[in-house]
Amino acid sequence: MSGDRFDYIVTGAGSAGCVVAARLSENGKYRVLLLEAGGKDSNAWIHIPLGFARTYVNPKVNWKFETQPQPQLNNRQLYLPRGKTLGGSSSINGMVYIRGNHGDYDEWRQRGCEGWDWDSVLPFFRKAENQARGEDAFHGVGGPLHVSDQPSKFELAEAALEACEQAGIPRNPDFNGAQQEGCGYYQTTTNRRRRWSTAKAYLEPARGRPNLEVRTGAHATKVLIENGRATGVEYQADQGRRTALARREVVVSGGAYGSPQLLLLSGIGPGQHLQDLGIPVVKDMPSVGSNLHDHFNTNLAWRCAKAITLNDLENSWPRKISAAIRYALFRSGPMASNGIHAGLFTRSDPRLERPDLQVNIFEWSTMERSAIRVKPHPFPGFTLMPVHLRPEGRGTVRLKTADPLAPPAVLFDYLRTDYDVRALLAGIRLCRTIAAQPALKPYVMEEILPGSATRSDDDMVEYVRQTGVSNQHPTSSCAMGHGPNTVVDPRLHVHDIGGLRVADASIMPVVVGGNTNAPAIMIGEKCAAMMLEDVA
Ligand SMILES: Cc1cc2nc3c(=O)[nH]c(=O)nc-3n(C[C@H](O)[C@H](O)[C@H](O)COP(=O)(O)OP(=O)(O)OC[C@H]3O[C@@H](n4cnc5c(N)ncnc54)[C@H](O)[C@@H]3O)c2cc1C
């Protein structure tokens, strides 16, 4: 079985896993195996910026998890899309490129994560990046990850941004520059109007390397651990159960749900939970799968007076055909952008040090957005989505059964505290203030979600409990740091287990105040750099 002996094995070819595998194999010295449960990223919708409304529900590229009943949300079970293909969630996400607030990383350092303060992580953001605007103190060029401006200005986004200014929120031309607060256009992880996932950015250029092997349809079921050290990975492939051995290290990069699940299946986790399921306990570590949290959002939508929204595209075959032709021939038109053109960051309370609210401006509105379908309203509409970036509630990832192929049990604790509720209410009020500004007057016909009858705080809280959803930014289920509430140390080693690291969004000690793809890529970059440093 010499063919199945590698220096490094990485499980999960997502935002972070592709980076780790590509960087470890770069110098040609080490044999690297990358295992991905999903298939190749050949679905055409992955690569078209507007296609993420399709991959959002497609089981061929999406795990399509759901939560356990959420106590604070009237026991609803929320839909959790996650990428299950090369590139992972970077192949199905909204492509918004945001790093979070500088202070978020300084907070990580204050929580005991040496080497993760803003000044220490900035070089890894820059190393990853190929910024279309060119290089400056915050941005890099020549990296694998293309970061682009929106293909053009958009009438509705322009009006919404003007309305934000009228509501007192200043323009910010670069959310990833000197400061995060303000309103403006989002940049995206796209290249020449195609999605730029980590599979495209990192894996494709590395695929010719003889020392990198990428296996798709390879679902890791267990990390093999002998005498307190990871020695390989057991995985399920089409041909049945397989084993691959790692001479040096195993890196778990399955994302905030997949990574704790694999550790639990390998006997690393809360001892009693593992015993209840008949899994031999390798290391009793209650922190595994604990500390899960996520950004949480609700949606406010307005009927639009002009037929310029994506609803009007989706509801008309002639428009769809014309958009497809424009995209196919010229890479232009509505399919060339992600439809989330702009947004803002602000504070729910001026006494806060950093923004805790993001508002996404969507040029569509939906009557249904579920695991089954995304269905726009049958008339023009747009959405303002307030997102709470600093939730206090903490949840868990646990196993439902010992079957490694079963989905994990995911429980969030959204709206746990008064602050969690207050912040979102402030976001709702802000969205209404923006929609009431003169710049949006020619566009706003009526509020359709929640509707003008929902006015009191109590009614709005009930609306949020009935309709609030995951912002699809789960993190921190294998938190980094020191002490009993953490899983990995600041060099991303799993505590007390040799040769085993975790590298993905699950290691964030606390979620950053912004979208999570760029930070997951930075984590992959930093992990690979630390691993290569350790063998130098
Ligand atoms: C619908 C959606 C929209 C989003 N929009 C944005 C956005 O606009 N901007 C932004 O910054 N972020 C966005 N995000 C979040 C962002 O994409 C994620 O935070 C980021 O991709 C997480 O990276 P990761 O490496 O932790 O996990 P992932 O990228 O999810 O990678 C995990 C990989 O591991 C694989 N895997 C899991 N378990 C196993 C196993 N046992 N064996 C083998 N393989 C396994 C998975 O198939 C997957 O490929 C969005 C996410 C979703 C789902």
Side-chain angles (χ1 to χ4, degrees), residues 11-17 35-38 52 56 62-63 80-98 198 218-221 253-256 258-259 261-262 338 340 404 471-475 503-506 508 514-521:
T11 69
S15 297
L35 297 173
E36 167 55 42
F52 80 100
Y56 190 81
N62 194 323
W63 290 89
L80 304 175
R82 288 278 102 191
K84 186 182 186 184
T85 181
L86 292 181
S89 298
S90 77
S91 286
I92 69 158
N93 70 11
M95 290 155 281
V96 174
Y97 181 78
I98 295 283
T198 52
H219 189 135
T221 50
S253 296
S259 286
Q261 183 183 23
L262 186 59
N338 61 349
I340 319 170
N471 199 234
Q472 319 305 350
H473 294 160
T475 65
D504 56 28
S506 73
M508 296 186 195
N515 310 54
T516 44
N517 185 45
I521 293 169

Side-chain angles (χ1 to χ4, degrees), residues 216-273:
T216 52
H219 189 135
T221 50
K222 191 180 185 179
V223 178
L224 303 170
I225 297 164
E226 280 171 36
N227 302 322
R229 191 175 174 83
T231 56
V233 176
E234 190 182 87
Y235 65 97
Q236 181 73 33
D238 286 347
Q239 308 82 354
R241 230 12 98 83
R242 288 279 181 273
T243 298
L245 300 178
R247 271 186 290 261
R248 293 180 184 274
E249 290 190 66
V250 172
V251 183
V252 174
S253 296
Y257 308 130
S259 286
Q261 183 183 23
L262 186 59
L263 293 185
L264 294 168
L265 289 164
S266 311
I268 305 168
Q272 191 59 53
H273 175 58

Side-chain angles (χ1 to χ4, degrees), residues 161 164-165 167-173 175 179 181-184 344-345:
L161 289 174
C164 290
E165 288 184 282
I169 296 162
R171 281 269 184 158
N172 184 348
F175 293 120
Q179 65 150 17
E181 209 153 353
C183 68
L344 67 90
F345 290 89

